[in-house]
Amino acid sequence: MRTARTSLRSRIYSVLRHAILLTGGVVMLFPFIVMVSTSLKPPSEIFSPTFTLLPQEWYAIENFREAFTRVPLARFILNGLLVGATIFLFQALFALPCAYALAKLRFAGRQMTFVLVILALLIPPQVPAIPLYIGMWQLGILDTYAAIILPSTISVFGIFLMRQFFLQIPDDLIHAARIDGLSEFAIVWRIMLPTAIPALTAFAILSFVWNWNDFFWPLIVIQSEHLATPPLGIVFFDNAEAGTNYGPLMAGAVAITAPLVIAFLVAQRRFLEGFAMTGLR
Amino acid sequence: MASVSLRGIEKLFGSTRVLNGVSLDIADGEFVSLVGPSGCGKTTLLRILAGLEAQDAGDVFIGGRPVDDLPPKGRDIAMVFQSYALYPYMTVAENMALPLVMRRTSFAQRLPVIGRMMPGTGRTIRGISDEVSAVAESLAIDHLLARKPGQLSGGQRQRVALGRAMVRRPAVFLMDEPLSNLDAKLRVQARTEIAQLHRRLGATFVYVTHDQAEALTMSDRVAVMMDGELLQVAPPQDVYADPQHVKVAEFIGTPQINLVPGRVRADGGVEVLGMALGIGVSLPEGSTVSVGFRAEAVGMTAEGGGHCSALVQHIEHLGSEMLFHLGANGLERTVIARIHPARSPGARPGDSIGIELHGQRAFVFGKDGRRIPALPSATTHAPRLFEPGAMLRTASA
Ligand SMILES: Nc1ncnc2c1ncn2[C@@H]1O[C@H](COP(=O)(O)OP(=O)(O)OP(=O)(O)O)[C@@H](O)[C@H]1O
Ligand SMILES: [Mg+2]
């Protein structure tokens, strides 16, 4: 009797809980649903007063063709890939040795250095934007790939994340490597890096998504259309169209969002594993 | 092959003193066990010897050469860790080959693609893999070479760790409790194998353990360590039969040694519970001492006989021997007697019996815990103990 009542109760709670979560999920997803739905509709339907999820008349091919021909969308996507991958490679190149030193080496000022890393985490990227811009202007590298890539090559977040992960690697593994004749750099690349692949994957996704979506910095340093990253490219699109033709615009938005969503779905498990291991979840 | 010398090694972690002037000379090819309770500084000492940790004072010599300024790879040592510390994403073969790869190939030859094209790389790599196979075969792990450490059992991992240390043919092997993660049966088997390995390789072994059975069965000499100090370094039979410190006597031997308070008489004779033991020391009258009896130095007689009466509290049957736990009148701790089953007095728990303490086999320790040499005392209240054969009679009485 009692068990029946508690199970009924817990079932009601469970339904309630899911209803709330579901509502939240729908609210979050709604803009994306509208985006996808709009990208499939002809102009007449987009502005019709009644909203339908699916179009009466399928117009997807026209919208996407328009999106890829009106502006060099494929080029934007390639730019995004190039910039994101290069930035991540540099970030890993710097973050791994730094994180190793902070987690496993004993040297004067280690604590202080780590405090500085934490402090740097707190500074929003917009703060150093003006000095960086002036510096790049003086170097004459404004409006190049280097201008987008350079400021992001060192990620304090990456250093922090990898340090947290390295803390859990037993000291004996490093001792064994030293006895086996590995130098400190060899330890980073041959021992720590392969062990850190799950955490590094998680960081790679975060870093890539951040740089793929970053609008602020490319907007400041890039003028040429052919160097634009995807979000900036959408803006070029917008300008070219004077903002009335939403179908192709949304098709472009779908085209630049899709790679990330697909990549996340594919790597979802590794991603969560990586965070579980760094203790950040 | 090489000898190892430690001279006055001190180590502090912050303000806690972990090693307090440790000196030890290990001969070329010797097997020395470092044994002591948890936290006494064994691992720290081994790490200093390996060059993984810097000492605050003192010197380390390997093969007669000071090595204080040499990094671990320059010291011609190999180490087996308690956790084995195998590289998790490398195969067994790669794990074992790494020390050789790092020593025999150049930086350029180790680069992923270019290295393969360098002259001589192929030959060197083949030579290394032949040696790895030979070592793996000698340890009976050659069928595991393609596996990752995660796919191995504890015993197999231990062998791989041993193999990784062996491939390089170091002059000195350092082992930090390599068997403590194995189950009891496997541990006994691995004990024998490591002892055989030592004989076969002829290298110097420094073996850390907190298991006295391991230390006593495998080593040429046992170094007993307590609170960062070496209390005694001696062959296994000596640390058992001739302990120089009360802590050594307590640590070595199962069951634990019986310690009873004693007093020195005017003539230098030692008495326990007011009865003379038949041994003397050169200490002033009235000094208090601690007298240690191994379980086999305690006998049982009929009630009313012996040094004092006692109650049998508990009996352990161990097959080849029996341990009687005896609650003696006037003693705080229970006394344990080791009796051969054939000579068992047939007492049961709850029975009253007499305890016979064999003074000739007792160890006398002073207030500071150091052993005090015992002399036969001039006068004794038990003169019959001096007649040969008398002891046997009382023991079997
Ligand atoms: N890096 C360190 N910082 C501070 N204290 C340490 C450090 N390493 C060891 N200690 C301390 O030094 C003492 C000796 O440690 P050590 O690891 O040498 O003990 P051990 O004899 O190997 O013990 P066990 O048998 O448990 O392995 C311990 O009290 C330990 O807490
Ligand atoms: Mg230890």
Side-chain angles (χ1 to χ4, degrees):
Chain A
M1 168 89 188
R2 205 180 135 229
T3 53
R5 216 169 64 203
T6 47
S7 93
L8 183 67
R9 236 209 203 151
S10 76
R11 194 172 295 177
I12 289 173
Y13 274 129
S14 153
V15 167
L16 215 66
R17 206 162 48 223
H18 281 91
I20 291 171
L21 287 176
L22 210 64
T23 319
V26 169
V27 169
M28 301 268 248
L29 276 177
F30 191 67
F32 290 95
I33 294 168
V34 172
M35 175 180 83
V36 175
S37 150
T38 309
S39 75
L40 306 175
K41 287 175 182 174
S44 58
E45 273 185 57
I46 293 173
F47 292 103
S48 103
T50 53
F51 177 78
T52 53
L53 210 54
L54 291 176
Q56 260 100 55
E57 182 195 345
W58 286 82
Y59 207 66
I61 296 173
E62 289 82 349
N63 281 340
F64 277 89
R65 184 190 297 133
E66 179 91 1
F68 276 88
T69 49
R70 178 66 50 90
V71 290
L73 197 56
R75 171 85 194 213
F76 298 156
I77 290 174
L78 279 180
N79 284 347
L81 286 173
L82 177 78
V83 167
T86 315
I87 289 179
F88 170 69
L89 283 182
F90 276 108
Q91 286 179 337
L93 193 69
F94 292 121
L96 286 166
C98 290
Y100 171 67
L102 285 174
K104 292 295 178 188
L105 300 183
R106 266 176 274 162
F107 55 92
R110 176 172 81 161
Q111 212 51 39
M112 193 60 218
T113 315
F114 185 58
V115 169
L116 288 179
V117 168
I118 300 277
L119 280 180
L121 268 178
L122 302 177
I123 300 173
Q126 286 80 2
V127 171
I130 305 290
L132 277 173
Y133 181 84
I134 296 172
M136 298 203 162
W137 173 70
Q138 279 167 345
L139 288 175
I141 55 168
L142 283 177
D143 205 20
T144 61
Y145 284 128
I148 319 179
I149 292 168
L150 221 51
S152 303
T153 45
I154 295 177
S155 162
V156 277
F157 176 68
I159 295 175
F160 174 75
L161 189 79
M162 295 320 290
R163 172 194 178 263
Q164 297 307 101
F165 182 80
F166 285 168
L167 282 181
Q168 303 168 7
I169 294 184
D171 283 345
D172 275 353
L173 204 62
I174 294 157
H175 289 156
R178 289 200 185 126
I179 289 179
D180 284 348
L182 277 74
S183 67
E184 296 301 305
F185 274 105
I187 291 176
V188 172
W189 303 119
R190 285 179 157 254
I191 309 295
M192 303 303 264
L193 169 64
T195 321
I197 291 294
L200 203 60
T201 313
F203 174 60
I205 293 173
L206 284 184
S207 158
F208 191 83
V209 168
W210 169 268
N211 289 306
W212 181 273
N213 287 334
D214 188 24
F215 177 60
F216 174 76
W217 187 249
L219 179 66
I220 291 182
V221 294
I222 296 298
Q223 261 87 51
S224 318
E225 195 185 71
H226 70 279
L227 295 179
T229 54
L232 196 58
I234 293 294
V235 173
F236 283 121
F237 199 109
D238 205 9
N239 291 346
E241 268 312 304
T244 47
N245 203 351
Y246 284 125
L249 183 62
M250 288 301 119
V254 169
I256 68 159
T257 321
L260 293 192
V261 174
I262 292 167
F264 176 77
L265 290 180
V266 169
Q268 195 177 18
R269 267 189 68 170
R270 293 215 98 169
F271 185 63
L272 295 179
E273 264 170 23
F275 275 103
M277 284 188 199
T278 48
L280 279 188
R281 197 168 54 170
Chain B
M1 302 299 113
S3 61
V4 174
S5 292
L6 300 165
R7 297 279 153 74
I9 303 290
E10 294 186 14
K11 178 73 187 175
L12 295 110
F13 282 119
S15 59
T16 44
R17 186 168 282 270
V18 174
L19 294 178
N20 196 2
V22 174
S23 297
L24 178 62
D25 286 303
I26 301 169
D28 181 10
E30 196 178 14
F31 193 130
V32 168
S33 288
L34 217 52
V35 63
S38 192
C40 71
K42 305 180 296 286
T43 299
T44 308
L45 187 64
L46 210 60
R47 286 191 185 152
I48 288 173
L49 187 45
L52 295 167
E53 193 98 57
Q55 67 269 36
D56 293 310
D59 301 293
V60 179
F61 298 85
I62 294 177
R65 265 188 328 145
V67 293
D68 301 302
D69 298 325
L70 289 182
K73 64 175 166 184
R75 295 192 176 194
D76 202 9
I77 47 138
M79 191 155 167
V80 178
F81 296 87
Q82 183 172 1
S83 57
Y84 308 139
L86 300 174
Y87 310 119
Y89 50 86
M90 290 186 196
T91 63
V92 168
E94 286 165 342
N95 262 285
M96 288 173 63
L98 191 62
L100 294 181
V101 170
M102 295 313 291
R103 276 174 175 73
R104 296 200 190 151
T105 59
S106 65
F107 177 76
Q109 284 178 313
R110 289 196 296 271
L111 289 176
V113 183
I114 313 159
R116 280 272 161 192
M117 301 187 297
M118 303 271 295
T121 310
R123 191 155 16 92
T124 314
I125 298 287
R126 270 195 303 281
I128 289 173
S129 78
D130 286 347
E131 281 176 54
V132 166
S133 308
V135 170
E137 213 166 302
S138 75
L139 289 170
I141 48 171
D142 42 338
H143 58 295
L144 304 173
L145 284 174
R147 291 213 207 155
K148 300 262 170 82
Q151 304 164 314
L152 301 179
S153 72
Q156 291 168 334
R157 267 179 235 181
Q158 188 262 334
R159 279 155 194 265
V160 175
L162 213 55
R164 184 176 63 180
M166 279 164 62
V167 284
R168 227 172 60 216
R169 303 169 193 279
V172 183
F173 280 84
L174 308 177
M175 306 205 178
D176 191 358
E177 311 202 17
L179 307 184
S180 61
N181 287 332
L182 303 183
D183 65 49
K185 198 169 170 189
L186 212 53
R187 205 179 310 166
V188 174
Q189 186 191 337
R191 212 150 79 183
T192 324
E193 283 172 4
I194 290 183
Q196 281 169 350
L197 190 70
H198 169 246
R199 248 167 272 139
R200 180 153 62 86
L201 299 176
T204 311
F205 274 49
V206 183
Y207 187 98
V208 164
T209 178
H210 61 251
D211 181 346
Q212 47 155 320
E214 271 174 34
L216 294 175
T217 49
M218 297 160 75
S219 2
D220 297 321
R221 279 192 303 157
V222 177
V224 185
M225 194 164 177
M226 302 267 168
D227 301 326
E229 276 179 82
L230 289 183
L231 293 182
Q232 186 171 2
V233 184
Q237 61 274 23
D238 288 6
V239 287
Y240 182 80
D242 192 18
Q244 294 304 310
H245 196 284
V246 65
K247 286 183 181 164
V248 176
E250 280 184 300
F251 189 76
I252 302 288
T254 344
Q256 220 183 37
I257 195 166
N258 301 297
L259 284 176
V260 297
R263 213 181 67 88
V264 179
R265 297 181 168 194
D267 59 1
V270 177
E271 64 172 31
V272 165
L273 295 170
M275 300 264 289
L277 285 175
I279 48 171
V281 290
S282 49
L283 281 181
E285 178 188 3
S287 307
T288 54
V289 291
S290 192
V291 188
F293 297 91
R294 293 277 180 213
E296 55 271 22
V298 179
M300 290 163 66
T301 61
E303 194 182 359
H307 277 79
C308 62
S309 58
L311 208 63
V312 178
Q313 290 179 339
H314 175 61
I315 304 172
E316 288 180 64
H317 297 272
L318 298 175
S320 62
E321 63 190 36
M322 295 171 81
L323 298 180
F324 286 79
H325 294 244
L326 309 168
N329 291 337
L331 293 181
E332 276 173 37
R333 289 206 266 168
T334 45
V335 171
I336 298 177
R338 191 198 303 268
I339 309 284
H340 194 276
R343 285 198 290 275
S344 161
R348 301 175 167 280
D351 289 355
S352 283
I353 48 100
I355 292 184
E356 189 85 31
L357 298 173
H358 299 316
Q360 256 63 27
R361 291 150 83 183
F363 311 124
V364 183
F365 302 101
K367 268 218 188 67
D368 60 353
R370 304 220 166 271
R371 174 88 174 274
I372 298 169
L375 331 149
S377 77
T379 58
T380 167
H381 290 244
R384 62 199 168 92
L385 282 177
F386 281 105
E387 304 163 26
M391 247 174 68
L392 277 179
R393 277 204 303 281
T394 44
S396 53

